[in-house]
Amino acid sequence: MSSRRGRRWTVLFVRERETRSHRLALAEWKVGAAAGLLLLVLAAVFVAVGRGIQGAADRARMLELQAAIDRLQQENAHFGELAGRLEHLERAYGQLRRVMGGDVAPSERDVLLPAAVTDGRRRSPRDSPGVERETGALWPLVESSFVTRSFGDTVGVPFKGHVGVDIAVPAGSYVRSVSTGVVTRVREGGEYGLYVRIAHAEGISSLYAHNSWLFVAEGDSVETGEVIALSGNTGRSTAPHLHLEIERDGVPVDPLTFLARGS
C-alpha cells in the first residue's frame, strides 16, 4: 500500500500463523527504478532467447544448404561420368562405322567359305578358282552387328579391364579371320567356350570366342575373310555374341582401332 508522506511505498510481510508483521518502506523512485530494471532484464532475456532460436534456425538452414550442395556435387560427378561414357561410346561407334564402311551388307567377295576336305586333305580357299586374296585387316562378321562392350571396360574386371570387344550377332553367323594367318589354338570349354586363336604377321594374333561351331583345326592356314567358325553363346556368355581379341607382341590392343587402321 502507499502512504501520503513523501510518496513512499510500504510493503507488509506477515508469516503464516503469526500476528506480527514486517514493514518495508520504499521510495517511489526506487520502485520505479526496480520495475524498469526488471523490464530491461526481461527484454534482454527475450532478445537472447530470440537470438538463440534464430541461431539454431540459421544453423539448421546451413546444414540443409550444405546437404543440398553435397547432393548437387554428387549429381554433377555422376553426370560427368555419364558424359565421359557417352563420349567413349560415340568414339567406339565412329570407329565401328569406319571399320565396317557404314552399313554392312553380305557379299560373295567378303566371304571365303571354310575349306573343303577331300581325300583326307584340307583344301584351302586359296586353291579355289575365282577367289581373290584379301590384304590388310577385315571386320570378322558379315551379319549386321554392334559392339556391346568395348576394350578396356572395367565392369566386372576392375583391375585389368576388358581385353577385347563383345559384338552382338545372331547365333550361327559367319565368323571370319581378320587377316591371313595360321591357327595356333583351338579349344572348347572354360570362360571362352569354343574359341580359335590365329597368329598373323608382325607379331599380331587374334582370338574369336563363344562360337557354336569351328571349321578349323590347329595348324591350318587361313586367308583374310575366311570363315573359321559360327558365332554362338558358349562359355561364360549371357547372349549370342562374338568376343574378339587382338594382341600385338602379346600385348592386348583395341580391336576397333586395329581394324580401323586395316593393319
Side-chain angles (χ1 to χ4, degrees):
M1 68 181 180
S2 175
S3 68
R4 295 181 179 275
R5 191 173 48 189
R7 297 188 61 84
R8 301 172 64 85
W9 289 82
T10 301
V11 181
L12 294 177
F13 297 93
V14 181
R15 289 186 179 181
E16 187 178 358
R17 299 178 182 178
E18 290 186 4
T19 58
R20 189 175 58 180
S21 62
H22 301 276
R23 294 186 178 189
L24 177 62
L26 297 173
E28 185 176 13
W29 69 270
K30 291 183 178 181
V31 175
L37 181 60
L38 179 61
L39 290 176
L40 289 175
V41 171
L42 292 176
V45 170
F46 288 144
V47 169
V49 171
R51 287 181 177 177
I53 294 175
Q54 184 62 39
D58 291 341
R59 286 192 294 273
R61 181 58 179 168
M62 289 180 61
L63 292 175
E64 291 178 359
L65 291 175
Q66 186 60 49
I69 291 172
D70 292 341
R71 286 196 301 271
L72 289 175
Q73 290 177 339
Q74 292 176 357
E75 291 176 359
N76 186 54
H78 180 63
F79 288 146
E81 182 181 352
L82 291 178
R85 181 69 172 170
L86 178 60
E87 183 180 357
H88 176 73
L89 291 176
E90 288 177 347
R91 287 198 304 267
Y93 176 71
Q95 290 178 334
L96 178 61
R97 286 191 61 83
R98 289 194 298 271
V99 167
M100 300 177 68
D103 296 328
V104 175
S107 68
E108 292 182 359
R109 185 178 182 278
D110 285 339
V111 180
L112 297 179
L113 294 179
V117 178
T118 58
D119 301 329
R121 184 176 70 87
R122 182 178 184 271
R123 183 166 58 85
S124 171
R126 70 170 66 88
D127 300 327
S128 302
V131 175
E132 180 182 352
R133 285 194 184 186
E134 298 285 349
T135 59
L138 188 72
W139 184 248
L141 296 164
V142 176
E143 297 286 345
S144 296
S145 54
F146 58 93
V147 174
T148 57
R149 192 175 185 188
S150 57
F151 180 82
D153 191 346
T154 58
V155 176
V157 280
F159 298 107
K160 62 179 181 179
H162 195 228
V163 295
V165 293
D166 290 345
I167 310 168
V169 68
S173 301
Y174 285 158
V175 176
R176 308 180 296 177
S177 175
V178 299
S179 185
T180 299
V182 177
V183 178
T184 59
R185 179 170 296 180
V186 172
R187 292 289 186 274
E188 178 178 1
E191 182 176 353
Y192 287 151
L194 279 172
Y195 76 93
V196 178
R197 184 181 291 277
I198 300 175
H200 309 286
E202 300 179 356
I204 302 297
S205 68
S206 57
L207 180 142
Y208 315 78
H210 306 304
N211 303 289
S212 61
W213 187 266
L214 303 180
F215 293 112
V216 294
E218 292 182 4
D220 287 345
S221 297
V222 295
E223 296 289 332
T224 303
E226 180 177 342
V227 176
I228 58 175
L230 296 179
S231 62
N233 192 32
T234 59
R236 186 180 176 183
S237 174
T238 57
H241 74 285
L242 171 66
H243 173 79
L244 175 67
E245 294 181 11
I246 302 291
E247 291 185 355
R248 186 188 298 272
D249 297 326
V251 179
V253 298
D254 188 346
L256 296 183
T257 302
F258 172 80
L259 295 175
R261 293 173 181 169
S263 60

